[in-house]
Amino acid sequence: MIIQAKKIFFLGIKGVAMTNLAVIFKKLGKDVTGSDLSEEFITDSILRNFGITFQLDFDPKKLPNNIDLVVYSAAHQGDRNPQVIEAKKRGIKIRSQAEILGELIKKFNLKVAVCGSHGKTTTSSLLSYALIKLGAKPSYLVGAPMFNSYPGGDFNSRDYFVIEADEYGVNPPYDLTPKFHYLNPDYILCTNIDYDHPDVYPNLEVTRKAFLKFFDKKKLILCLDDKPIVQSINRLESKQIVTYGFNKLADLRILTYQHKQSGSEFHLALNKKSLGTFQIGLFGEKNISNTAGAILTLLQLGFSGKEIKKAIRNFTGAKRRFELINEEKGTYLYDDYAHHPNEIAATINAAKSHFPKHRIVIIFQPHTYSRTQALLNEFARSLSLADKVFVLPIFASARENPKNFKIDSRDIANLNPERITYAKTKRSLLELLSSNLYSQDVIFTMGAGNVYKLKNDIIEIISKK
């Protein structure tokens, strides 16, 4: 069906995964267009660079007449969107993003999926980057607009396809099928299993079962430092499992590590045989672990340790993942996508290890009411690892009605008012920052919403210090 479709319309085309998917189909020779909101997104420039046009609303009357296929995601009402309804009336084929990805990767010779509640974007980006540097000409789709200087989605050949495999539902609340259940990869690299997406999963055990179903009879590369993974290994039918991590029982073990000015250096051993020292332009234990997972995957694909060392050395991370935005006279501004308590803790700990003599300041925008309500205490604990935190109003999902929740960002601040301050508006936040930021601070905008758009205002405040 993908081969036959010549003109494809992506609904919500500015979403990161949708933009990356549109780029791939554009490079496959398809006529690609779509629709989205008029608000500027982080992906606008990518769409422009690839010559992909789009409408600025979801008016069903504007749905093109000559399209063969409409692709929708969980955003913008999913298959309840007016343009999808119009497409149904016209008899146009309609598929979810998850279905299209499942069909797409069938066309590639070797398929590697990277999953995990946290770290999958960095890990899949690193794996794609390494394969590029190794001359393997991979095609790939990750959950970031860019990594290093490469787009987050690309088609280069049919030899390899690396895909970030998302455990979120196809179209909540109507279709809670985990998106990665549509994928049938040859290898699965899993960084961890954690409770997230309370609008899809009621608890950790249901989340774990979704991962185990995805793992079924695949070649697995698993992190042996993750408790839910360790507890699940004996329940797996697959006999082709290799492991990595700091754990002494891991097949690929991280023996030692240290942080340098430009990243991290660590020593690995495979089956107790030293592979030597590796370097990467990333910080923190979690990123070292993620890098080890990518290295073990590359070893499974037949690349040598010597080749891999050279290939990964200059990787600096995916966009919005510990991304340096500005440095001025020893004061740093970073942006990070962390939106779950464990991700927040990992980012703050990485910052503290890299900047042990600096104050860590977080400007956090919670993402979704359901997640904030389910993990309220955990958010307060993780954020409290920083020296000072400013928390913004919740960035709601288009799939939830704020009136259905008795929660707001003040509830996070109230759990630790000495360290966490609520800022109701952008104006109040900037006033607080003007009087509370100091020279040599390390500042993060953090969250999965649009908090990154504050960067210019924050840079202006920093310049006056």
Side-chain angles (χ1 to χ4, degrees):
M1 186 269 293
I2 285 179
I3 294 175
Q4 294 174 345
K6 295 180 180 178
K7 298 186 178 183
I8 307 175
F9 187 89
F10 289 88
L11 193 145
I13 196 168
K14 293 187 183 183
V16 170
M18 292 293 258
T19 289
N20 294 341
L21 188 56
V23 167
I24 290 171
F25 279 112
K26 177 84 173 182
K27 294 196 72 174
L28 281 167
K30 307 297 183 181
D31 187 345
V32 174
T33 185
S35 60
D36 215 308
L37 302 173
S38 58
E39 178 187 353
E40 184 179 353
F41 280 63
I42 200 167
T43 55
D44 280 36
S45 61
I46 296 172
L47 292 168
R48 285 194 298 268
N49 290 344
F50 281 93
I52 298 173
T53 60
F54 49 88
Q55 306 167 7
L56 293 180
D57 58 35
F58 303 110
D59 185 347
K61 295 178 182 178
K62 293 182 181 179
L63 188 71
N65 292 318
N66 58 350
I67 54 176
D68 306 312
L69 174 67
V70 171
V71 182
Y72 69 90
S73 68
H76 312 298
Q77 301 174 276
D79 62 357
R80 268 68 171 176
N81 184 281
Q83 289 188 319
V84 177
I85 294 171
E86 177 63 22
K88 288 179 181 177
K89 290 179 182 177
R90 297 188 198 174
I92 299 169
K93 291 180 180 177
I94 300 162
R95 295 290 185 274
S96 70
Q97 178 199 94
E99 291 175 289
I100 292 299
L101 284 171
E103 291 189 38
L104 174 66
I105 70 169
K106 290 177 184 177
K107 309 300 178 184
F108 293 83
N109 297 331
L110 197 151
K111 303 164 283 290
V112 182
V114 180
C115 67
S117 301
H118 322 297
K120 58 182 174 286
T121 298
T122 295
T123 309
S124 56
S125 298
L126 171 57
L127 186 56
S128 302
Y129 175 85
L131 286 169
I132 292 168
K133 295 301 181 182
L134 287 163
K137 296 183 179 180
S139 299
Y140 58 86
L141 189 149
V142 305
M146 297 188 73
F147 54 87
N148 283 53
S149 59
Y150 297 97
D154 205 357
F155 170 77
N156 293 303
S157 75
R158 295 190 184 273
D159 293 336
Y160 293 93
F161 197 95
V162 176
I163 185 165
E164 178 175 330
D166 190 358
E167 75 275 15
Y168 193 63
V170 169
N171 186 25
Y174 310 108
D175 185 353
L176 301 182
T177 305
K179 291 197 286 185
F180 59 16
H181 284 177
Y182 282 93
L183 304 176
N184 187 27
D186 300 295
Y187 291 87
I188 296 175
L189 163 57
C190 184
T191 58
N192 48 62
I193 301 172
D194 199 0
Y195 176 52
D196 194 8
H197 309 303
D199 56 334
V200 176
Y201 300 102
N203 53 51
L204 176 60
E205 183 55 31
V206 176
T207 307
R208 190 203 328 249
K209 287 179 179 178
F211 276 85
L212 293 180
K213 182 177 179 180
F214 182 44
F215 292 168
D216 189 41
K217 298 175 183 177
K218 303 295 191 304
K219 297 174 184 176
L220 303 175
I221 300 105
L222 305 178
C223 180
L224 208 58
D225 299 323
D226 185 69
K227 187 176 179 181
I229 287 179
V230 172
Q231 294 172 338
S232 303
I233 285 180
N234 291 334
R235 296 161 61 177
L236 294 170
E237 289 188 24
S238 175
K239 303 302 179 185
Q240 300 183 76
I241 301 173
V242 290
T243 59
Y244 67 93
F246 294 92
N247 192 310
K248 292 181 180 179
L249 298 178
D251 296 310
L252 182 68
R253 185 182 170 199
I254 305 163
L255 299 176
T256 60
Y257 73 92
Q258 57 181 319
H259 296 301
K260 303 284 189 176
Q261 184 61 33
S262 59
S264 302
E265 187 175 283
F266 52 99
H267 189 183
L268 297 180
L270 179 63
N271 299 323
K272 299 183 179 179
K273 182 179 179 181
S274 174
L275 291 180
T277 300
F278 291 72
Q279 294 177 326
I280 190 81
L282 302 174
F283 303 101
E285 281 192 6
K286 295 297 183 183
N287 276 326
I288 292 171
S289 174
N290 294 336
T291 303
I295 291 169
L296 183 54
T297 304
L298 292 165
L299 290 168
Q300 295 297 298
L301 297 180
F303 296 98
S304 71
K306 184 178 180 180
E307 291 175 306
I308 296 167
K309 285 180 187 180
K310 185 177 179 181
I312 69 170
R313 189 183 187 105
N314 294 320
F315 181 74
T316 55
K319 191 167 184 62
R320 298 216 64 219
R321 273 68 178 180
F322 213 116
E323 180 186 5
L324 178 61
I325 302 300
N326 186 69
E327 187 276 326
E328 188 171 339
K329 299 176 183 178
T331 301
Y332 295 82
L333 174 62
Y334 285 89
D335 179 49
D336 196 271
Y337 193 73
H339 55 281
H340 183 280
N342 288 344
E343 296 167 353
I344 293 167
T347 300
I348 293 173
N349 285 331
K352 290 168 77 172
S353 67
H354 187 51
F355 296 102
K357 297 180 181 180
H358 293 247
R359 202 172 68 127
I360 308 299
V361 179
I362 305 296
I363 301 159
F364 178 62
Q365 181 187 50
H367 184 254
T368 78
Y369 282 82
S370 57
R371 181 184 287 113
T372 307
Q373 181 171 279
L375 301 171
L376 178 65
N377 292 323
E378 291 87 345
F379 275 117
R381 279 199 296 271
S382 292
L383 288 167
S384 296
L385 293 170
D387 297 289
K388 184 61 186 175
V389 178
F390 300 95
V391 61
L392 298 167
I394 297 168
F395 187 91
S397 164
R399 297 175 290 277
E400 60 186 10
N401 184 351
K403 295 180 181 179
N404 295 334
F405 297 89
K406 295 180 180 179
I407 190 83
D408 68 30
S409 297
R410 279 172 289 204
D411 296 309
I412 298 176
N414 289 341
L415 290 172
N416 189 354
E418 291 184 6
R419 191 158 291 194
I420 306 173
T421 301
Y422 174 66
K424 185 177 182 180
T425 64
K426 176 181 175 180
R427 181 178 177 178
S428 63
L429 171 70
L430 296 179
E431 289 175 353
L432 285 165
L433 294 179
S434 294
S435 58
N436 285 276
L437 291 184
Y438 303 107
S439 177
Q440 307 294 302
D441 279 349
V442 176
I443 306 152
F444 282 81
T445 51
M446 185 176 287
N450 61 2
V451 65
Y452 65 90
K453 292 184 177 181
L454 293 170
K455 63 182 181 182
N456 291 334
D457 296 293
I458 299 170
I459 290 170
E460 184 177 346
I461 292 171
I462 291 171
S463 68
K464 296 177 181 177
K465 296 297 178 181

